[in-house]
Amino acid sequence: ENLANLQSQFLASMSHEFRTPLASILTFADYLQSEHGKDASQEGLGSIKRAAQHLLNMVENLIGQAQLSLEGLQLNPSPTDMRLLTEELSSLFMPLTAAKGLAFSVEYSHDLPLYLVLDPVRFKQVCINLLGNACKYTDRGEVKLKFSQLNRRLLVAISDTGQGIPHSAQQKIFKAFERGAQSDSKGAGLGLHIVEQLVTLMNGQVSFDSRPGVGTTVSIELPLPETDETSPNHPLESDKTDAPGENPPQKVLVVEDDSDVYDILAIYLDDAGYEVYHADSGLAAFDIVEQVLPDAVISDLNVPDLDGASLTQRLRENQFAGPIVILTASD
């Protein structure tokens, strides 16, 4: 009975949350394809992007909740460059706060190591959920992210000058599907629930201090493990190439039968300076490998003729020595 109630609550929460942004995306896409849409392309694209980002956040939270519920989520801690992590968070939220006329700042205490051992993906997910809430419910003032330490514990504080959390909602904000008392609340009500579960998985604690009409501060306390002072090589800090024009672009073959997925990958790879080739099946990939001799292959796990694993095996048997990356949306 409890499971049935949760399922009903989930469907009631999700139906509107998915229907509204999808309707927005389809409406603006149709409008942009019309003659009248040409003069308002930036406004329409902005609306599509906001709706798509909302859907992406929803899906990520739903997947995270499912993994946590099934106890299938494992942390992968590693030495993490906090400078890069804070820069990524700033690049995500600076435009959002600027669009609302809010100040945004990130403060990283000088006595903290540059590299911390944590799961960068899950830690960033926690920060994004909390910063997203802070931006959503703040109409004037500022949003601030602060990292510090106390007694060998990492302290993370996200504070805002927003509307605050009503006293009637403060006892249940970490429960699944709770979305607060605000009439314009959006989302599945999973963000804070997932934050609490992830922080607990990290052997930490989460708390908050909120005053309606004044603002909210959510605080996270995590273990601060000893770190090696020698920073490891970071994938974003690889050796840069020589001056443009001195080396030809590297070739990447993308094996993907979904044209929309291929277009997304091609945009990112082209923007990064790669020369992109496309095969829509595993067998077609072999012909292209022989013709263009790519430096790397990116393949979907499920493609016609041969799946990604079989394709990898065949390529290796045919002496292809470059990197092969297999992608899948399956868990």
Side-chain angles (χ1 to χ4, degrees), residues 7 45-46 67 70 156-157 171-172 187 200 210 228 232 268 276 290-291 311 324 328:
Q7 289 176 333
L45 289 172
Q67 290 175 321
L70 295 172
V156 184
Q171 299 300 318
K172 55 183 181 180
T200 300
S210 184
D228 189 348
Y268 283 110
V276 186
E290 292 181 358
Q291 293 170 14
L311 174 61
I324 301 174
T328 180

Side-chain angles (χ1 to χ4, degrees), residues 46-297:
S47 297
I48 289 174
K49 186 174 182 179
R50 286 191 295 273
Q53 185 63 56
H54 175 69
L55 285 174
L56 179 60
N57 290 340
M58 294 277 294
V59 170
E60 287 179 342
N61 278 340
L62 289 171
I63 292 173
Q65 177 61 30
Q67 290 175 321
L68 287 165
S69 298
L70 295 172
E71 298 182 353
L73 182 62
Q74 300 292 326
L75 295 179
N76 296 299
S78 63
T80 301
D81 187 336
M82 297 300 292
R83 176 183 59 83
L84 288 174
L85 188 144
T86 55
E87 286 177 357
E88 290 175 11
L89 292 173
S90 294
S91 67
L92 281 173
F93 287 96
M94 192 74 76
L96 296 178
T97 51
K100 297 185 68 173
L102 304 174
F104 179 74
S105 63
V106 178
E107 181 180 334
Y108 194 81
S109 179
H110 62 84
D111 61 346
L112 279 172
L114 176 60
Y115 282 82
L116 298 180
V117 178
L118 45 79
D119 184 324
V121 173
R122 299 306 172 186
F123 182 79
K124 192 160 57 174
Q125 183 182 2
V126 167
C127 293
I128 287 174
N129 277 345
L130 294 176
L131 286 169
N133 277 350
C135 292
K136 184 190 303 182
Y137 297 119
T138 304
D139 295 322
R140 53 186 171 83
E142 66 174 348
V143 173
K144 182 186 297 185
L145 171 61
K146 182 179 179 180
F147 297 89
S148 59
Q149 72 164 310
L150 179 66
N151 299 327
R152 298 301 303 167
R153 302 281 288 180
L154 172 64
L155 304 180
V156 184
I158 292 91
S159 58
D160 64 65
T161 56
Q163 55 189 274
I165 303 169
H167 293 296
S168 59
Q170 291 187 7
Q171 299 300 318
K172 55 183 181 180
I173 65 168
F174 290 112
K175 293 183 179 179
F177 307 114
E178 292 293 341
R179 297 188 292 177
Q182 295 91 335
S183 60
D184 63 343
S185 292
K186 296 180 180 180
L190 288 172
L192 290 176
H193 181 63
I194 290 175
V195 164
E196 184 182 46
Q197 289 184 296
L198 286 175
V199 170
T200 300
L201 196 61
M202 298 175 187
N203 296 319
Q205 296 176 319
V206 58
S207 60
F208 71 93
D209 178 33
S210 184
R211 288 184 290 168
V214 177
T216 301
T217 297
V218 180
S219 301
I220 298 169
E221 185 176 329
L222 297 171
L224 187 65
E226 295 292 334
T227 56
D228 189 348
E229 293 298 325
T230 303
S231 62
N233 292 326
H234 196 283
L236 296 181
E237 297 177 334
S238 58
D239 295 336
K240 296 185 175 359
T241 58
D242 295 330
E246 291 189 10
N247 294 314
Q250 290 189 310
K251 303 173 185 178
V252 177
L253 170 62
V254 177
V255 188
E256 174 59 68
D257 60 322
D258 188 319
S259 59
D260 291 335
V261 174
Y262 167 73
D263 288 342
I264 293 172
L265 293 171
I267 288 172
Y268 283 110
L269 290 168
D270 183 70
D271 188 58
Y274 294 100
E275 188 175 338
V276 186
Y277 295 85
H278 181 213
D280 58 8
S281 71
L283 293 179
F286 283 100
D287 294 334
I288 297 177
V289 167
E290 292 181 358
Q291 293 170 14
V292 305
L293 301 177
D295 298 285
V297 173

